């Protein structure tokens, strides 16, 4: 059986454009009929095209697919398939964690009404952290930036978070000191195979939690900490841990940003 490119596209439920691309990449190769000069494809081409599509849909590139269709010993194909299987397993793990991350984001939004300018207690999971900016001044240490980039690979499982020094959290008369960085749940990091020993650990436990709205473009100031500080004073609480703050929602009102942040500090 021989097919024109249009007939083959109709048979396989694809496009002539895709067939020409696979031909250009060397997956299939039409035969030129000497008497007419017409190009025709055969059953062999349909099978190679279908196999190449299978490999591509498994996540291989078109170049990888061509290589798989060129290996003579089947052991080489089996090895590549096993490697791809491991990559897909890791991708599945990542996607499952993304589902958990959606719940993390919803937590802040679901509780916004109860926590806005109000302090509540909540349980927080252990986190790993790397920070690379002291009060908006970027740390250029290559090792630190490398650890930052390692976590950035796994966005959206990360959280851009400011660490507020305890002295600033408990007393507005102290200089405001905060450090920008990235947090990730330790559980996520371990499932992704990240070496958590290279990062700072933020312990799990009971945290005081509040949310606030920031409209201006100024850095952290004591107005953003007022609700938490008043709560500590009114309840005679002396926390010894640093605080952490992150933006979890943003809107626009007449071209101005309305950013919603949370602040937590371990009780």
């Amino acid at each position: 059986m021989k097919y024109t490119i249009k007939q083959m596209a109709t048979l396989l439920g694809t496009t002539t454009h895709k067939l020409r691309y696979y031909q250009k990449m060397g997956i299939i190769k039409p035969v030129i009929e000497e008497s007419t000069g017409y190009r025709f494809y055969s059953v062999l081409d349909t099978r190679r095209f279908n196999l190449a599509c299978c490999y591509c849909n498994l996540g291989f590139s078109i170049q990888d697919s061509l290589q798989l269709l060129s290996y003579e010993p089947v052991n080489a194909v089996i090895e590549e398939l096993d490697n791809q299987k491991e990559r897909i397993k890791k991708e599945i793990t990542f996607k499952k964690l993304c589902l958990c991350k959606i719940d993390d984001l919803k937590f802040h939004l679901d509780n916004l009404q109860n926590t806005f300018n109000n302090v509540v207690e909540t349980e927080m999971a252990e986190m790993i952290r790397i920070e690379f900016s002291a009060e908006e001044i970027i740390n250029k240490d290559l090792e630190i930036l490398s650890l930052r980039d390692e976590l950035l690979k796994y966005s959206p499982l990360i959280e851009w978070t400011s660490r507020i020094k305890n002295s600033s959290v408990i007393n507005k008369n102290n200089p405001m000191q905060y450090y920008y960085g990235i947090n990730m749940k330790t559980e996520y990091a371990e499932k992704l195979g990240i070496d958590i020993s290279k990062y700072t650990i933020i312990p799990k436990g009971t945290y005081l939690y509040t949310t606030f709205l920031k409209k201006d473009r100024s850095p952290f100031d004591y107005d953003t900490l007022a609700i938490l500080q008043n709560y500590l004073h009114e309840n005679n609480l002396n926390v010894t841990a640093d605080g952490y703050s992150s933006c979890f929602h943003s809107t626009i009102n007449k071209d101005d940003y309305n950013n919603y942040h949370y602040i937590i500090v371990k009780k």
Side-chain angles (χ1 to χ4, degrees), residues 164-177 220-230 232-233:
I164 309 166
K165 197 168 181 180
N166 175 261
S167 58
S168 301
V169 171
I170 62 176
N171 193 336
K172 64 181 180 180
N173 294 319
N174 293 326
M176 171 61 77
Q177 293 180 285
F220 267 113
D221 54 35
Y222 278 107
D223 287 342
T224 61
L225 294 174
I227 298 297
L228 181 58
Q229 288 178 336
N230 290 341
L232 294 174
H233 177 73

Side-chain angles (χ1 to χ4, degrees), residues 74 94-95 133 153-154 160 180 203 260:
V74 295
F94 177 76
K95 291 298 185 182
S133 174
K153 295 177 186 177
Y154 300 105
W160 296 85
Y180 201 40
Y260 289 87

Side-chain angles (χ1 to χ4, degrees), residues 191-242:
K191 288 183 178 179
L192 293 168
I194 297 171
D195 184 359
I196 66 172
S197 67
K198 296 179 179 179
Y199 295 88
T200 300
I201 299 295
I202 303 172
K204 67 177 181 180
T206 303
Y207 280 74
L208 301 176
Y209 176 98
T210 184
T211 57
F212 67 90
L213 175 63
K214 187 168 179 56
K215 297 183 178 181
D216 60 67
R217 297 175 183 269
S218 64
F220 267 113
D221 54 35
Y222 278 107
D223 287 342
T224 61
L225 294 174
I227 298 297
L228 181 58
Q229 288 178 336
N230 290 341
Y231 181 88
L232 294 174
H233 177 73
E234 291 168 2
N235 292 275
N236 197 28
L237 294 175
N238 182 28
V239 297
T240 58
D242 293 341

Side-chain angles (χ1 to χ4, degrees), residues 1 30 48 68 119 163 167 172-173 194 222 239 252-253:
M1 186 66 184
R48 282 181 62 85
L68 289 168
V119 179
R163 176 174 64 89
S167 58
K172 64 181 180 180
N173 294 319
I194 297 171
Y222 278 107
V239 297
I252 296 179
N253 183 18

Side-chain angles (χ1 to χ4, degrees), residues 1-25 28-33 37-43 45-46 49:
M1 186 66 184
K2 58 184 181 181
Y3 308 94
T4 65
I5 191 170
K6 186 174 181 181
Q7 288 172 332
M8 185 167 166
T10 301
L11 173 68
L12 300 179
T14 187
T15 64
T16 57
H17 175 77
K18 186 171 183 177
L19 289 175
R20 288 191 179 96
Y21 177 63
Y22 274 51
Q23 177 185 324
K24 178 181 178 181
M25 297 304 298
I28 55 178
K29 184 179 180 181
V31 175
I32 300 177
E33 193 174 72
Y38 291 150
R39 295 170 180 261
F40 291 99
Y41 297 89
S42 71
V43 172
D45 292 305
T46 65
F49 176 81

Side-chain angles (χ1 to χ4, degrees), residues 171-187:
N171 193 336
K172 64 181 180 180
N173 294 319
N174 293 326
M176 171 61 77
Q177 293 180 285
Y178 66 95
Y179 306 86
Y180 201 40
I182 291 176
N183 291 3
M184 176 189 279
K185 279 188 175 181
T186 301
E187 175 191 1

